[in-house]
Amino acid sequence: MEIGVTIRHAAWRTALPDARQVTRQAALAALALSAPPDADELAVVLADDAMLRALNRDYRGIDEVTNVLAFAYGESEPPATAAAASAANEVLGDVVIALETAAAEAKKSGRGLDQHLSHLVIHGVLHLLGYDHGNDGDAEAMEEIEIRALADIGIANPYAPPSAVKNDER
Protein backbone atom coordinates (compact mmCIF):
# COMPACT_ATOMS: atom_id res chain seq x y z
CA MET A 1 0.00 0.00 0.00
CA GLU A 2 1.21 3.48 -0.83
CA ILE A 3 1.27 5.69 2.25
CA GLY A 4 1.44 9.39 1.50
CA VAL A 5 2.48 11.69 4.31
CA THR A 6 1.82 15.41 3.94
CA ILE A 7 3.21 17.92 6.42
CA ARG A 8 0.71 20.79 6.53
CA HIS A 9 2.22 22.39 9.64
CA ALA A 10 5.93 23.16 9.27
CA ALA A 11 6.57 22.84 13.02
CA TRP A 12 6.36 19.04 12.59
CA ARG A 13 9.74 19.21 10.80
CA THR A 14 11.36 20.72 13.89
CA ALA A 15 9.42 18.78 16.51
CA LEU A 16 10.05 15.42 14.85
CA PRO A 17 12.43 15.49 11.88
CA ASP A 18 11.71 11.84 11.00
CA ALA A 19 7.92 12.24 11.24
CA ARG A 20 7.35 10.81 7.74
CA GLN A 21 9.29 7.63 8.52
CA VAL A 22 7.60 7.23 11.93
CA THR A 23 4.19 7.71 10.30
CA ARG A 24 4.76 5.17 7.52
CA GLN A 25 6.13 2.56 9.94
CA ALA A 26 3.12 2.93 12.25
CA ALA A 27 0.61 2.79 9.39
CA LEU A 28 2.20 -0.40 8.05
CA ALA A 29 2.09 -1.94 11.54
CA ALA A 30 -1.65 -1.26 11.80
CA LEU A 31 -2.33 -2.58 8.32
CA ALA A 32 -0.32 -5.75 9.00
CA LEU A 33 -2.60 -6.74 11.91
CA SER A 34 -5.91 -6.07 10.21
CA ALA A 35 -7.87 -7.56 7.38
CA PRO A 36 -6.29 -6.39 4.14
CA PRO A 37 -8.15 -3.34 2.91
CA ASP A 38 -9.67 -3.17 -0.53
CA ALA A 39 -7.45 -0.17 -1.23
CA ASP A 40 -3.91 0.60 -2.23
CA GLU A 41 -3.45 4.14 -0.91
CA LEU A 42 -3.58 5.88 2.46
CA ALA A 43 -2.96 9.55 3.21
CA VAL A 44 -1.72 10.93 6.53
CA VAL A 45 -1.71 14.67 7.11
CA LEU A 46 0.44 16.12 9.88
CA ALA A 47 -1.36 19.32 10.75
CA ASP A 48 -1.90 21.76 13.62
CA ASP A 49 -4.61 22.26 16.21
CA ALA A 50 -6.37 24.91 14.12
CA MET A 51 -6.86 22.54 11.20
CA LEU A 52 -8.12 19.69 13.41
CA ARG A 53 -10.52 22.03 15.18
CA ALA A 54 -11.90 23.25 11.86
CA LEU A 55 -12.27 19.70 10.53
CA ASN A 56 -13.86 18.52 13.76
CA ARG A 57 -16.32 21.42 13.64
CA ASP A 58 -17.12 21.10 9.94
CA TYR A 59 -17.44 17.31 9.73
CA ARG A 60 -18.45 16.24 13.23
CA GLY A 61 -20.21 19.34 14.57
CA ILE A 62 -17.79 19.52 17.51
CA ASP A 63 -16.10 22.92 17.80
CA GLU A 64 -12.97 21.84 19.66
CA VAL A 65 -9.56 20.46 18.85
CA THR A 66 -8.86 16.75 18.88
CA ASN A 67 -5.65 14.79 18.43
CA VAL A 68 -6.57 12.64 15.41
CA LEU A 69 -9.37 12.39 12.88
CA ALA A 70 -9.90 9.67 10.29
CA PHE A 71 -11.91 10.14 7.11
CA ALA A 72 -12.68 6.91 5.28
CA TYR A 73 -13.28 7.24 1.57
CA GLY A 74 -16.58 5.96 0.29
CA GLU A 75 -18.58 6.95 3.38
CA SER A 76 -20.43 9.77 1.68
CA GLU A 77 -22.72 9.62 -1.34
CA PRO A 78 -22.13 6.80 -3.84
CA PRO A 79 -19.85 7.69 -6.77
CA ALA A 80 -21.63 9.07 -9.83
CA THR A 81 -19.68 6.98 -12.37
CA ALA A 82 -17.94 3.62 -12.58
CA ALA A 83 -14.57 5.40 -12.91
CA ALA A 84 -15.27 7.38 -9.72
CA ALA A 85 -16.26 4.17 -7.94
CA SER A 86 -13.02 2.52 -9.02
CA ALA A 87 -10.98 5.50 -7.81
CA ALA A 88 -12.84 5.58 -4.49
CA ASN A 89 -12.09 1.89 -3.88
CA GLU A 90 -8.36 2.48 -4.35
CA VAL A 91 -8.02 4.98 -1.50
CA LEU A 92 -8.53 3.86 2.10
CA GLY A 93 -8.85 7.39 3.48
CA ASP A 94 -7.12 10.18 5.37
CA VAL A 95 -5.74 10.35 8.88
CA VAL A 96 -5.12 13.88 10.17
CA ILE A 97 -3.07 14.56 13.32
CA ALA A 98 -2.66 17.80 15.32
CA LEU A 99 0.89 18.60 16.44
CA GLU A 100 0.21 20.79 19.47
CA THR A 101 -2.30 18.38 20.99
CA ALA A 102 -0.16 15.32 20.19
CA ALA A 103 2.94 16.96 21.69
CA ALA A 104 1.08 17.98 24.86
CA GLU A 105 -0.33 14.46 25.27
CA ALA A 106 3.11 12.92 24.73
CA LYS A 107 4.65 15.20 27.33
CA LYS A 108 1.86 14.52 29.85
CA SER A 109 2.27 10.76 29.43
CA GLY A 110 6.07 10.90 29.64
CA ARG A 111 6.44 9.44 26.16
CA GLY A 112 8.30 10.74 23.17
CA LEU A 113 6.43 12.49 20.38
CA ASP A 114 7.54 9.74 18.00
CA GLN A 115 5.88 7.09 20.17
CA HIS A 116 2.67 9.07 20.56
CA LEU A 117 2.56 9.88 16.84
CA SER A 118 2.88 6.15 16.13
CA HIS A 119 -0.03 5.45 18.46
CA LEU A 120 -2.21 8.13 16.87
CA VAL A 121 -1.44 6.91 13.34
CA ILE A 122 -2.30 3.31 14.29
CA HIS A 123 -5.49 4.52 16.01
CA GLY A 124 -6.52 6.52 12.94
CA VAL A 125 -5.77 3.70 10.49
CA LEU A 126 -7.80 1.28 12.59
CA HIS A 127 -10.75 3.68 12.39
CA LEU A 128 -10.40 3.63 8.58
CA LEU A 129 -10.49 -0.17 8.72
CA GLY A 130 -13.79 -0.11 10.60
CA TYR A 131 -12.70 -0.30 14.23
CA ASP A 132 -14.37 1.95 16.78
CA HIS A 133 -14.39 2.58 20.51
CA GLY A 134 -18.00 3.59 21.05
CA ASN A 135 -18.55 1.00 23.77
CA ASP A 136 -16.32 -0.85 26.23
CA GLY A 137 -16.11 -4.06 24.21
CA ASP A 138 -15.18 -2.28 20.99
CA ALA A 139 -12.70 -0.06 22.84
CA GLU A 140 -10.95 -3.08 24.38
CA ALA A 141 -10.72 -4.83 21.01
CA MET A 142 -9.32 -1.72 19.34
CA GLU A 143 -6.83 -1.10 22.17
CA GLU A 144 -5.60 -4.70 21.95
CA ILE A 145 -4.79 -4.29 18.26
CA GLU A 146 -3.13 -0.92 18.95
CA ILE A 147 -0.97 -2.52 21.66
CA ARG A 148 0.07 -5.36 19.32
CA ALA A 149 0.85 -3.01 16.44
CA LEU A 150 2.89 -0.75 18.72
CA ALA A 151 4.77 -3.74 20.15
CA ASP A 152 5.62 -4.86 16.60
CA ILE A 153 7.51 -1.57 16.11
CA GLY A 154 9.12 -1.63 19.55
CA ILE A 155 6.79 0.69 21.47
CA ALA A 156 5.45 -0.20 24.90
CA ASN A 157 1.77 -0.45 25.78
CA PRO A 158 0.45 3.13 26.07
CA TYR A 159 -2.47 1.97 28.23
CA ALA A 160 -0.29 0.35 30.91
CA PRO A 161 0.10 2.34 34.10
CA PRO A 162 3.50 4.03 34.42
CA SER A 163 5.95 1.80 36.24
CA ALA A 164 6.51 2.77 39.83
CA VAL A 165 9.80 4.45 40.66
CA LYS A 166 11.91 2.21 42.86
CA ASN A 167 12.94 3.65 46.21
CA ASP A 168 16.65 3.28 45.41
CA GLU A 169 16.26 5.34 42.19
CA ARG A 170 15.08 8.50 43.93
Side-chain angles (χ1 to χ4, degrees), residues 135-156:
N135 62 54
D136 290 345
D138 290 345
E140 287 176 21
M142 189 171 179
E143 287 174 8
E144 190 170 306
I145 296 169
E146 290 173 358
I147 291 165
R148 286 189 4 233
L150 287 164
D152 286 349
I153 55 175
I155 298 175

Side-chain angles (χ1 to χ4, degrees), residues 30 37 40 42 55 68 80 105 126 128 144 149 169:
D40 59 6
L42 165 68
L55 290 170
V68 60
E105 291 171 347
L126 290 178
L128 295 179
E144 190 170 306
E169 293 179 356

Side-chain angles (χ1 to χ4, degrees), residues 82-144:
S86 175
N89 288 335
E90 294 174 4
V91 181
L92 183 60
D94 296 329
V95 174
V96 188
I97 300 171
L99 173 60
E100 299 91 339
T101 297
E105 291 171 347
K107 183 176 182 178
K108 182 178 179 181
S109 71
R111 300 167 47 120
L113 180 57
D114 58 335
Q115 294 177 349
H116 193 52
L117 173 60
S118 294
H119 185 189
L120 294 175
V121 169
I122 289 167
H123 185 88
V125 170
L126 290 178
H127 274 305
L128 295 179
L129 295 171
Y131 292 91
D132 199 4
H133 44 81
N135 62 54
D136 290 345
D138 290 345
E140 287 176 21
M142 189 171 179
E143 287 174 8
E144 190 170 306

